[in-house]
Amino acid sequence: SFVDAILRVGGTLDLLKRLVANGFPTVIETAAMFEGYDWIGHYRVLVGYDDAFQLFYFYDSFLGVGADANGVTESYARVDNDWRAFNRTFIVVYHPDREALLRNILAEHWDEAAAAQIAFEAAQNEARSNPQDAFAWFNMGSSLAMLGRHQEAAAAFDQATSTGKLPWRMMWYQHGAFAAYFAAGRYQDVLTLAAHNQNTAPELEETHYWRGRVYEAQGENQRAASAYRRALGYNPNYDAARQALDSLSQ
């Protein structure tokens, strides 16, 4: 039988524990710095937890499954610190016949906008505690962009950048700044972000999509179509680029 999945932001450690305790496979997106690697984004599958020792257990594509396949361990504090670099994003996989239980566990997080608001408020509190917290400002921007508050989102992304503390790969993984700057009419800022990604990882399809959006907004439809095609060349399943390209030819 098929399964479904839900992606939300603004998760909490308690929510992760409730999900795994009820048998819901849960993936989180976190920061990682493995030996020999610079800062990267990384997905991990949560398989258990231990309140006595304050540990989560994960199956990890890089580190493996741990002793006796029980999972590799990470402290609650370390998990939350690494997780917040990605606005505490989590993905829950579930069978449709368990949706009612999942809705009950997620509560407000079931609603995408409510989850974004929760994430925004958490980030706002962190920024108030430490105004130089780049991740807090970035998460505020990402959450505000999800809520359609693009001018405020753009200002938060500006603040995150001004700290000088964002990892150089940040825009590889998270694209709320592209959306916010575009919606705010700050096209040159979108192109600047795109140029950074183009120079460091030209295969990122989102980079070409957002460049295409700017070209289209500026009336350069041929350049836009070329950018959308390039995005689709890297990811033929990228629906946003496909729809944008199709709309140009109508």
Side-chain angles (χ1 to χ4, degrees):
S1 61
F2 76 94
V3 295
D4 209 338
I6 187 171
L7 182 150
R8 292 292 182 265
V9 296
T12 66
L13 300 187
D14 283 343
L15 180 55
L16 291 183
K17 289 191 280 187
R18 289 200 300 275
L19 288 166
V20 74
N22 282 276
F24 287 102
T26 303
V27 179
I28 64 171
E29 186 175 12
T30 72
M33 286 188 70
F34 300 120
E35 186 175 354
Y37 286 78
D38 201 346
W39 187 97
I40 59 172
H42 187 58
Y43 289 95
R44 319 182 80 181
V45 181
L46 178 64
V47 295
Y49 66 92
D50 186 331
D51 274 339
F53 290 96
Q54 300 278 291
L55 293 173
F56 281 116
Y57 291 77
F58 294 96
Y59 285 170
D60 190 296
S61 60
F62 195 95
L63 298 175
V65 297
D68 301 321
N70 288 325
V72 295
T73 59
E74 201 80 75
S75 72
Y76 288 175
R78 176 66 182 272
V79 168
D80 192 55
N81 185 66
D82 291 344
W83 191 25
R84 76 184 194 92
F86 287 87
N87 210 13
R88 298 182 175 92
T89 295
F90 62 99
I91 302 166
V92 186
V93 180
Y94 64 97
H95 286 285
D97 60 4
R98 302 193 77 209
E99 182 177 306
L101 175 58
L102 179 59
R103 280 176 175 261
N104 185 53
I105 293 168
L106 291 181
E108 286 184 276
H109 281 89
W110 179 262
D111 180 78
E112 192 169 8
Q117 182 66 32
I118 290 168
F120 167 71
E121 291 172 4
Q124 186 178 51
N125 288 334
E126 289 169 352
R128 284 171 176 159
S129 297
N130 177 11
Q132 289 300 304
D133 186 337
F135 291 135
W137 287 106
F138 197 94
N139 290 340
M140 285 173 63
S142 297
S143 302
L144 288 165
M146 293 175 192
L147 293 166
R149 295 163 60 180
H150 295 295
Q151 294 285 355
E152 295 168 90
F157 286 125
D158 289 344
Q159 194 69 34
T161 302
S162 74
T163 67
K165 296 178 180 179
L166 288 176
W168 63 271
R169 287 190 173 109
M170 196 72 170
M171 302 299 177
W172 286 16
Y173 305 103
Q174 303 188 68
H175 309 107
F178 289 85
Y181 288 148
F182 180 82
R186 293 172 53 176
Y187 298 149
Q188 186 54 53
D189 289 318
V190 177
L191 294 177
T192 298
L193 293 180
H196 168 77
N197 277 2
Q198 174 71 24
N199 291 335
T200 55
E203 71 278 7
L204 299 174
E205 64 268 24
E206 294 90 353
T207 299
H208 304 290
Y209 167 74
W210 283 109
R211 182 180 280 140
R213 291 290 303 274
V214 170
Y215 293 151
E216 184 178 353
Q218 294 175 333
E220 299 184 67
N221 285 1
Q222 283 190 322
R223 293 182 77 186
S226 177
Y228 295 145
R229 289 191 190 98
R230 191 162 185 191
L232 289 165
Y234 287 118
N235 181 0
N237 298 315
Y238 191 13
D239 288 340
R242 175 71 61 195
Q243 291 166 7
L245 182 61
D246 289 346
S247 72
L248 276 181
S249 59
Q250 290 177 358

